[in-house]
Amino acid sequence: MTHSPRPHDHSRTPLPAARRPEPGAPGAAAPPAAPSAPPPGRQRDAFFDNAKYLAIVLVAMGHSWEPLKSGHRVLEAVYMVVYALHMPAFIVISGFFSRNFEMRPDKIKRLITGVAVPYIVFETAYPLFKRWVFDSPDQEISLLDPWFLTWFLAALFIWRLTTPLWRTVRWPLPLALVVAMLATLSPSIGDDLDLQRVLQFLPYFVLGLCLKPEHFRAVRSRRVRAAAGPVFAAALVTAWWAVPRMNAAWFYHRDSARELGAPSWVGPVMVLALFGCSLVLTACFYSWVPGRRTWFTSLGAGTLYGYLLHGFLIKGADYAGWFDHARLHRPAGELLVTVLAGAAVTLLCTAPVRKVFRCVMEPRMDWAFKRDQGRPAARGAGTAPTAVAVEAPAARERAESSAGAGA
């Protein structure tokens, strides 16, 4: 019991003002809960979706020019310029969105369902399509020899698996360039999984791994945008001059120097020269890509669908002999084919088409994996898995590519 120093004095000293307990202290009342906003969702960057859509349109147009360009010098020059940039543009973005790839079960599952499974499906479907449409029963089905468009899926699978290596070495881009240069010296690499293309296009993927968002913002500056017009004009003039003097197959990166009839030393030189030219043109292409949402931004999420499906239209028209009509080999006919190719691939990127083909493009396949293999590993015992940095779904990153008759 506490004794007052003045037990008989009725005039007591006023007590000090009561203090509010510190938050979290025993006996402290819980503060009223503030209305909590839902966690912000992961929003797609409109710039990348726009870039992928515009690049896939160039891919489809380039494939439609393949049967028409012979003997048309202007069209061949445009073809060269397009093939110098659309593959690098796709692959750089693919590398950029592969920066967070790790050898984790959930990442491996996404790689299998989003890249390996579509590769197997379409590597089987295209030869069967040729057997049926072209009446070619002897057309071989081989999962080791990519046919037409499917080479990019094989390449992306290999590139992604090597991502931890490129994130570990000190000078990843110079090393990747050396690998690409050495590949051109070796005609014995063969066609298995199109390894020649895998190795020669590797520097663009590694470059994407090394880039940061600010690099893409830098190429979209007013200065670069203003310079892009003269650069493209100069590229077209140079390509027009090069048409009768240069083999366009160099842009496909699928052959060694000797297979293209050139001395071995020319291969490494061409790798470096084309890498420099492609980077300049790709930067100019990015500078013209809008960064805001447009009517085609949502189509950027479906470029894989447009990429893999438009090949059936191109090959079907080719097998049916539609490109043999003389009217299509005139400027008006070439323009018509170009517009139709762009419209067709746009349609194939839309939501209804994605809904129909999602079962083979982005299959869930939960039945094929252990129940805990598709989830990120917990960071500590008793804690929920923490969110990892955004990695665009593999199925959406690849449409990012092109291939086919020439790339």
Side-chain angles (χ1 to χ4, degrees):
M1 180 174 180
T2 304
H3 297 278
S4 170
R6 301 173 63 182
H8 304 291
D9 192 348
H10 296 285
S11 59
R12 299 185 180 181
T13 305
L15 296 174
R19 288 184 179 181
R20 290 186 178 181
E22 296 292 332
S36 58
R42 294 174 179 174
Q43 296 184 354
R44 299 177 64 93
D45 191 320
F47 166 76
F48 291 107
D49 280 335
N50 293 338
K52 290 193 295 180
Y53 167 76
L54 294 175
I56 198 62
V57 169
L58 291 179
V59 169
M61 290 178 176
H63 289 162
S64 71
W65 296 337
E66 179 71 24
L68 304 175
K69 67 183 179 62
S70 180
H72 295 252
R73 191 167 178 178
V74 173
L75 184 59
E76 287 196 61
V78 176
Y79 178 88
M80 277 189 174
V81 173
V82 167
Y83 268 73
L85 72 90
H86 67 50
M87 276 301 301
F90 265 130
I91 296 173
V92 167
I93 292 178
S94 300
F96 179 75
F97 282 107
S98 299
R99 294 169 302 158
N100 298 308
F101 180 83
E102 300 171 352
M103 291 297 185
R104 259 187 12 219
D106 60 312
K107 303 280 187 175
I108 296 296
K109 176 184 176 182
R110 180 177 295 176
L111 183 63
I112 292 173
T113 58
V115 180
V117 171
Y119 171 78
I120 294 172
V121 170
F122 282 87
E123 180 63 13
T124 304
Y126 271 114
L128 290 177
F129 179 73
K130 184 176 182 180
R131 286 186 183 184
W132 173 58
V133 174
F134 198 57
D135 192 19
S136 178
D138 297 330
Q139 175 62 46
E140 182 183 4
I141 299 176
S142 173
L143 296 181
L144 295 179
D145 186 9
W147 196 74
F148 194 35
L149 300 170
T150 56
W151 73 268
F152 181 76
L153 299 182
L156 184 61
F157 188 87
I158 296 172
W159 292 334
R160 280 253 175 93
L161 288 179
T162 63
T163 295
L165 166 67
W166 303 113
R167 292 171 54 193
T168 301
V169 298
R170 188 183 296 270
W171 300 291
L173 185 57
L175 179 59
L177 282 169
V178 170
V179 171
M181 293 163 66
L182 293 176
T184 65
L185 302 175
S186 193
S188 60
I189 287 180
D191 296 327
D192 289 350
L193 296 179
D194 255 4
L195 283 180
Q196 193 68 252
R197 271 176 164 167
V198 173
L199 298 177
Q200 290 193 38
F201 275 116
L202 175 63
Y204 300 98
F205 181 82
V206 174
L207 174 64
L209 291 175
C210 300
L211 292 180
K212 298 179 180 179
E214 51 264 31
H215 295 127
F216 290 96
R217 288 193 292 269
V219 299
R220 292 157 56 197
S221 66
R222 290 184 178 179
R223 184 174 301 177
V224 178
R225 194 175 300 123
V231 168
F232 276 122
L236 286 171
V237 172
T238 304
W240 184 88
W241 173 87
V243 164
R245 298 172 174 85
M246 178 181 174
N247 188 345
W250 283 107
F251 294 101
Y252 308 158
H253 295 285
R254 65 186 178 195
D255 300 300
S256 65
R258 283 183 9 195
E259 289 172 312
L260 294 177
S264 296
W265 64 268
V266 174
V269 173
M270 290 299 293
V271 165
L272 290 178
L274 291 178
F275 184 75
C277 293
S278 295
L279 285 191
V280 171
L281 292 176
T282 299
C284 292
F285 168 75
Y286 286 152
S287 73
W288 282 354
V289 173
R292 66 185 184 283
R293 290 196 62 84
T294 66
W295 65 267
F296 55 80
T297 300
S298 61
L299 300 178
T303 45
L304 171 67
Y305 296 78
Y307 171 69
L308 289 175
L309 294 175
H310 88 275
F312 291 105
L313 301 181
I314 299 294
K315 285 299 184 183
D318 192 16
Y319 298 152
W322 293 354
F323 290 110
D324 296 335
H325 291 283
R327 292 183 178 179
L328 296 183
H329 291 259
R330 300 170 185 170
E334 294 165 354
L335 180 60
L336 174 63
V337 170
T338 301
V339 172
L340 289 177
V345 77
T346 298
L347 179 65
L348 294 175
C349 293
T350 57
V353 175
R354 300 205 303 265
K355 183 177 181 180
V356 171
F357 290 96
R358 183 168 288 121
C359 59
V360 295
M361 302 285 198
E362 302 174 82
R364 293 182 59 86
M365 293 185 62
D366 292 337
W367 55 268
F369 300 93
K370 295 179 180 179
R371 296 191 64 176
D372 59 343
Q373 295 301 297
R375 304 171 186 169
R379 299 298 182 186
T383 62
T386 58
V388 295
V390 177
E391 176 194 13
R396 294 176 181 169
E397 292 169 356
R398 312 165 229 114
E400 336 164 324
S401 77
S402 109

